[in-house]
Amino acid sequence: MKRFPHFRADFTASLVVFLVAVPLCVGVAVASGVPAELGLVTGIVGGLLTGLLPGSSLQVSGPAAGLTVLVFEAVKEYGLGALGALVLAAGLLQLAMGALKLGRWFRAISVAVVQGMLAGIGLVLIAGQLYALTDAKAPGSGLANIAHLPALITDTLTSERALAALAIGAGTIAVLVLWPRWRRAARILPAPLAAVALATVAVWALDLPVARVKVSGLLDAIQPPGPADLGTLTDVGVLGTVLAFALIASAESLFSAAAVDRLHNGPKTDYDKELIAQGAGNAVCGILGALPMTAVIVRSAANVHAGAKTKASRVLHGAWLLVFAAAFPAALGVVPVAALAGVLVFSGCKLIPVRDLRPLWREHRGEAVVLIVTALAIVTVNMFEGVLIGLLMAVAKTAWETSHVHLDIHTPDDEDQPVRVRAIGNATFLRLPKLLDQLETLPPGRDIELDTSQLRHLDHACASALTNWAEHHRRNQRSAELVS
């Protein structure tokens, strides 16, 4: 034990993370429209492979709710066989970004865009899983799911089976909310596992006619991509999905790493190495035809709070997942789908920063607008385009806020003296209409001296407009001198 001074702490933490990971791995897989075992495969790779690689010492990787919507749409459009090819390509792209040391640049992404992305994912995830709560099939996209909610309510109220499933799902959510308040029990059994276990026992004891998870076996679920699947990567539309996988998985992992670093006093994350580790994990997941992985803050926080000291805890958690998937696959077949839907609805709610939005609106209204627009764009359009819209909004907001320009006007009483105008700030095309309006209010018939030497930035559009204004002033009134 002297050679492994932290073994006991890491061993205990690995069991806690394993118990948290099982329902989340299975739930994400079911919500993504793939066999439940593939979620466990991703969790195993996240533990045994990514867990061993350098980068972050304590954060835990696996399938994440944040990519559920994107995976579901990809499987629906390109088929389950192509999923492995998409994930493999995304992993290789992450490896390239890590090798080029682009990991640190993900910290430059607007926090409002990331929060808006997660909020949009949460909204779409909740809208889809409300159908699974009643053993119903979701119509499809985010907007379609929201539009059909009234019909879902009507169908549920007229079906005993749907009401039974809803009771199980609602009970699962209630346990997830209340279980952490029972601190003694929460230390022994994590809330997600307790909620799913209680729901499973209730369904068995009451013999409720609700849907259970379909089990195909670990080896049967693994389907490496074939030549035809790899051929889909030549499609231009597929490349957008690959890019979305890589960028969203990378951003979520690296932001998770930053959050985990604040939870402990150990070695901090090397972002480029962590990006390489995530890329290696996704490349292997792609080869196995499994779900894409990210670092997951829920499992990572559980790992830290359970007392983990080294990466051994996350590697061991992968080993426990492998043992469970290989030895007890039939255990998944008794789990009600509505219970897993309840776990994901709860996870979706956690992705929406409701508490942060009000103070953000008061203190940084522009950031709040970017967050809201990004979330709504993801719900109304799709994941990739929604994030692009959010990034463009963030860039436009920053450009607007940094382009403040102020005119300091001094008008001497002596009309023979020129009116002195001093421009201060950043003169860009965004502020050009306001700048010209202020110049038009200057006293007519007076000489003007416009000093632009104190401008920190003067773009081409403003420079041309000021030159044209001076020439127009000279033609129609008196002299106008630009001092730079």
Side-chain angles (χ1 to χ4, degrees):
M1 292 298 291
K2 291 182 179 180
R3 295 181 59 187
F4 305 100
H6 303 301
F7 179 77
R8 179 174 295 178
D10 289 333
F11 182 85
T12 304
S14 71
L15 291 174
V16 173
V17 179
F18 161 70
L19 295 176
V20 172
V22 169
L24 291 177
C25 287
V26 176
V28 169
V30 173
S32 301
V34 305
E37 290 85 353
L38 290 183
L40 293 172
V41 171
T42 299
I44 293 166
V45 175
L48 297 182
L49 175 62
T50 307
L52 280 171
L53 296 175
S56 175
S57 58
L58 296 182
Q59 79 168 350
V60 183
S61 299
L67 286 172
T68 300
V69 177
L70 196 58
V71 172
F72 180 84
E73 292 176 352
V75 171
K76 184 178 179 180
E77 185 170 354
Y78 305 113
L80 180 59
L83 178 62
L86 297 175
V87 177
L88 172 60
L92 295 176
L93 183 56
Q94 285 181 297
L95 285 170
M97 290 190 294
L100 293 172
K101 299 189 179 300
L102 299 180
R104 68 194 70 178
W105 288 101
F106 278 87
R107 289 179 289 178
I109 298 176
S110 167
V111 175
V113 174
V114 176
Q115 288 183 319
M117 177 189 75
L118 295 176
I121 291 169
L123 291 171
V124 176
L125 183 62
I126 292 169
Q129 291 306 300
L130 287 176
Y131 291 85
L133 276 176
T134 62
D135 285 349
K137 185 177 180 181
S141 65
L143 276 181
N145 291 342
I146 294 172
H148 285 80
L149 286 178
L152 175 66
I153 295 172
T154 302
D155 294 341
T156 301
L157 294 175
T158 57
S159 170
E160 291 185 3
R161 178 169 182 155
L163 288 172
L166 179 61
I168 293 299
T172 302
I173 296 172
V175 172
L176 289 169
V177 173
L178 299 175
W179 190 262
R181 299 182 184 180
W182 188 8
R183 295 185 179 180
R184 182 177 298 179
R187 291 193 195 101
I188 300 172
L189 200 62
L193 188 66
V196 172
L198 289 173
T200 303
V201 170
V203 169
W204 171 78
L206 300 175
D207 194 23
L208 297 177
V210 298
R212 271 87 161 175
V213 175
K214 294 181 180 179
V215 181
S216 58
L218 190 63
L219 294 179
D220 293 333
I222 295 176
Q223 296 180 1
D229 300 320
L230 294 173
T232 60
L233 295 176
T234 59
D235 187 348
V236 176
V238 170
L239 296 180
T241 302
V242 170
L243 188 61
F245 273 152
L247 294 181
I248 293 172
S250 300
E252 189 168 344
S253 295
L254 297 182
F255 273 93
S256 171
V260 172
D261 283 347
R262 292 194 291 268
L263 297 177
H264 67 89
N265 297 320
K268 303 305 179 184
T269 300
D270 183 315
Y271 286 87
D272 296 318
K273 290 182 179 178
E274 179 62 19
L275 191 54
I276 290 175
Q278 295 294 326
N282 273 319
V284 172
C285 286
I287 292 172
L288 297 175
L291 291 170
M293 75 165 59
T294 72
V296 186
I297 188 61
V298 175
R299 273 165 266 187
S300 303
N303 190 39
V304 175
H305 293 151
K309 301 298 181 183
T310 71
K311 63 177 64 178
S313 62
R314 57 185 192 175
V315 176
L316 283 172
H317 120 275
W320 308 142
L321 284 175
L322 177 59
V323 170
F324 175 81
F328 309 105
L332 299 177
V334 300
V335 176
V337 172
L340 298 177
V343 171
L344 290 175
V345 167
F346 184 77
S347 299
C349 291
K350 289 285 189 179
L351 294 175
I352 304 172
V354 177
R355 293 182 180 178
D356 298 335
L357 192 55
R358 183 174 295 178
L360 187 65
W361 181 264
R362 287 198 304 263
E363 299 170 13
H364 304 283
R365 188 158 297 182
E367 292 288 301
V369 170
V370 171
L371 190 159
I372 294 170
V373 169
T374 304
L376 293 179
I378 288 173
V379 173
T380 55
V381 187
N382 58 50
M383 176 77 68
F384 186 59
E385 293 179 11
V387 171
L388 288 181
I389 291 171
L391 289 172
L392 291 174
M393 281 283 297
V395 171
K397 179 193 75 71
T398 302
W400 177 260
E401 290 179 346
T402 57
S403 64
H404 286 295
V405 62
H406 169 68
L407 294 184
D408 185 7
I409 302 172
H410 175 65
T411 307
D413 294 333
D414 185 354
E415 294 188 358
D416 291 332
Q417 294 291 323
V419 176
R420 293 181 175 84
V421 181
R422 185 174 57 176
I424 304 171
N426 298 291
T428 70
F429 69 95
L430 294 171
R431 299 290 180 171
L432 188 53
K434 179 182 178 181
L435 184 62
L436 293 176
D437 287 343
Q438 287 181 288
L439 291 174
E440 293 300 328
T441 63
L442 295 175
R446 297 285 295 269
D447 293 340
I448 306 294
E449 183 182 288
L450 178 57
D451 183 1
T452 61
S453 62
Q454 296 191 35
L455 285 174
R456 290 188 295 272
H457 177 72
L458 177 66
D459 70 5
H460 179 69
C462 277
S464 299
L466 292 178
T467 301
N468 293 335
W469 171 84
E471 292 177 355
H472 178 77
H473 187 83
R474 294 189 193 103
R475 287 197 304 268
N476 294 281
Q477 300 178 40
R478 301 182 69 176
S479 69
E481 182 181 358
L482 292 177
V483 180
S484 59

